[in-house]
Amino acid sequence: MKKTLSNEELFHFCEQFYILLHSGISCAEGLQLLYEDSQHPDSKEIFQQLITSFEETGSLAQSLKNAKLFPNSMISFIKAGEETGCLDEVMKSLSERYEQEIAISKTLKSAVTYPLLMLFMMGIVIVILLSMVLPVFQQVFRQMGLEMNQLSNGLLKIGTAFSRYSTVVLCVIMLVIFACIFLYFTEKGRTFFRQMAQRLPYLKNISVSIDYSRLTQAMAMAMHSGLDHNTSLEMSLELVQNPLIKEKAQKALSLLEEGSLLEEALSQSELFQGMNARLITVGLHAGAADEVMQKLSQRYQEDCLGMTESVISVLEPSIVILFSVLVGLVLLSVMLPLLGILSEIMI
């Protein structure tokens, strides 16, 4: 059985459960229907475990906790939904949240995967030119009683080294690839990549937008479920990964505990500033804070996707230009002397 469920699996679970609850079906009946509808043995085992646990505890949140497959943040919101009688709305909000996570994840994967593939393919072209094409030109020059220029000789030495130690180079490349795959599919690896992204200038802004999108959507869910502001912010903190945002949110939570109003706490802690802070204040006064938070979440998500697309739009042509220049230099270093010789022969 899996250790944790993916965002796709969590999305489908929340979406299906929302539809069942919204149709008037109880939690017990819903779990039974999902069990009967499951095709994969692992899914059937999970739902059977949930059904058994629900019969013992009578709580969906406790059943999910006992299964040890669902994130704590999700369990906390479901528990709040059960206590406030808004479980169907919580499930709907959770499905929207995981759908948002999936969209962001796909965009970030495409932003990383395509440039890496381009680098890999262009690298292969460069290696072939250095190790296979340049030696042919060297033979041509020797047959003509000439020597290649210093640039060509330097590139040829690099190509010879690639050919001589090709096994070692291939092993190193494979180790790097496997290390990246291992880091990507482990929690420590993903944490490492997130920390690296938070240090890079432009990627840092993307990371901040992702965290703010998660924070505002979680607060929207909590407020819509009828939870007080302290509990809403405290539960939403579980989704924040950026240390600076977490520090500001903790400060805002401390101000709330001291008796400050939410809009004051958010502003004084600098968690939200400018127009966003004013929008939250207006939303709180109008009794539509959850709607404002949801709108802000969508805005942060759009900012994240927009910045990611901007990075891709700059990165892709930059890689193409860089490797085109490298290939051009390799070819020109051997073609120009040949063209000079041919021109002398023609004369």
Side-chain angles (χ1 to χ4, degrees):
M1 188 183 292
K2 294 182 179 181
K3 292 184 178 180
T4 56
L5 297 180
S6 64
N7 285 334
E8 287 83 359
E9 291 168 324
L10 293 171
F11 163 70
H12 288 301
F13 174 79
C14 294
E15 184 184 45
Q16 291 171 354
F17 220 87
Y18 160 69
I19 294 171
L20 293 170
L21 293 175
H22 194 66
S23 302
I25 297 173
S26 65
C27 287
E29 292 174 329
L31 289 173
Q32 186 64 40
L33 287 172
L34 291 175
Y35 169 78
E36 294 172 358
D37 190 55
S38 299
Q39 303 295 327
H40 199 278
D42 287 347
S43 299
K44 281 192 171 293
E45 185 180 351
I46 293 171
F47 284 116
Q48 183 58 60
Q49 183 180 351
L50 292 176
I51 291 169
T52 304
S53 181
F54 187 81
E55 290 174 351
E56 295 174 355
T57 62
S59 169
L60 179 61
Q62 188 60 45
S63 301
L64 298 179
K65 185 176 182 180
N66 293 340
K68 298 179 180 180
L69 295 168
F70 299 85
N72 292 329
S73 58
M74 174 181 172
I75 295 171
S76 299
F77 283 112
I78 289 176
K79 182 179 179 181
E82 287 182 312
E83 293 174 352
T84 58
C86 300
L87 184 57
D88 57 337
E89 291 296 328
V90 169
M91 282 296 185
K92 180 182 178 182
S93 298
L94 284 170
S95 69
E96 292 173 350
R97 181 204 152 196
Y98 287 116
E99 186 177 21
Q100 182 186 75
E101 292 284 340
I102 292 168
I104 292 174
S105 178
K106 286 182 178 178
T107 303
L108 294 178
K109 283 180 181 178
S110 66
V112 173
T113 303
Y114 188 61
L116 285 178
L117 286 175
M118 290 182 65
L119 283 171
F120 181 72
M121 296 303 296
M122 293 288 190
I124 291 175
V125 172
I126 294 293
V127 170
I128 292 173
L129 284 173
L130 294 179
S131 61
M132 299 179 68
V133 177
L134 277 182
V136 174
F137 279 101
Q138 185 186 40
Q139 292 179 3
V140 172
F141 272 84
R142 285 178 177 175
Q143 290 174 0
M144 298 176 66
L146 300 172
E147 289 291 335
M148 294 194 300
N149 57 36
Q150 292 183 353
L151 176 60
S152 300
N153 283 323
L155 293 173
L156 182 62
K157 289 179 181 179
I158 296 173
T160 304
F162 273 122
S163 300
R164 184 178 300 172
Y165 303 105
S166 58
T167 304
V168 176
V169 173
L170 183 61
C171 289
V172 171
I173 292 173
M174 294 302 294
L175 283 173
V176 171
I177 292 173
F178 282 123
C180 291
I181 293 173
F182 176 76
L183 288 172
Y184 182 79
F185 286 103
T186 60
E187 185 58 35
K188 289 184 178 179
R190 288 192 289 269
T191 302
F192 171 76
F193 283 130
R194 284 195 294 266
Q195 290 174 348
M196 288 294 293
Q198 289 169 6
R199 291 188 179 95
L200 298 174
Y202 202 78
L203 295 181
K204 180 181 179 181
N205 295 333
I206 297 176
S207 174
V208 168
S209 293
I210 291 173
D211 265 0
Y212 267 111
S213 178
R214 290 170 177 164
L215 176 68
T216 49
Q217 188 172 40
M219 290 187 69
M221 282 192 292
M223 291 175 177
H224 189 71
S225 301
L227 299 178
D228 61 75
H229 295 157
N230 295 52
T231 306
S232 299
L233 185 55
E234 186 176 2
M235 291 173 64
S236 304
L237 264 172
E238 298 180 21
L239 304 176
V240 177
Q241 296 169 349
N242 187 288
L244 182 59
I245 299 175
K246 189 180 283 287
E247 181 183 348
K248 291 179 180 179
Q250 289 284 5
K251 183 179 178 181
L253 186 60
S254 300
L255 291 170
L256 281 175
E257 292 172 350
E258 292 172 2
S260 299
L261 297 175
L262 179 61
E263 57 268 33
E264 295 174 352
L266 296 179
S267 179
Q268 291 176 14
S269 64
E270 299 182 351
L271 183 59
F272 292 95
Q273 295 177 303
M275 183 180 294
N276 291 342
R278 290 194 292 272
L279 284 173
I280 294 172
T281 301
V282 172
L284 286 167
H285 291 166
D290 56 335
E291 295 179 10
V292 171
M293 286 295 183
Q294 187 63 39
K295 291 290 185 183
L296 286 176
S297 176
Q298 294 174 359
R299 181 183 296 177
Y300 284 121
Q301 182 186 8
E302 290 171 359
D303 289 343
C304 167
L305 298 178
M307 285 187 287
T308 305
E309 290 174 359
S310 298
V311 171
I312 296 173
S313 65
V314 172
L315 191 60
E316 289 178 0
S318 299
I319 294 172
V320 173
I321 292 170
L322 174 62
F323 279 96
S324 298
V325 170
L326 290 176
V327 172
L329 285 174
V330 173
L331 294 177
L332 287 173
S333 67
V334 294
M335 292 301 295
L336 287 178
L338 285 177
L339 290 174
I341 294 171
L342 290 173
S343 64
E344 290 179 3
I345 293 173
M346 294 293 291
I347 294 173

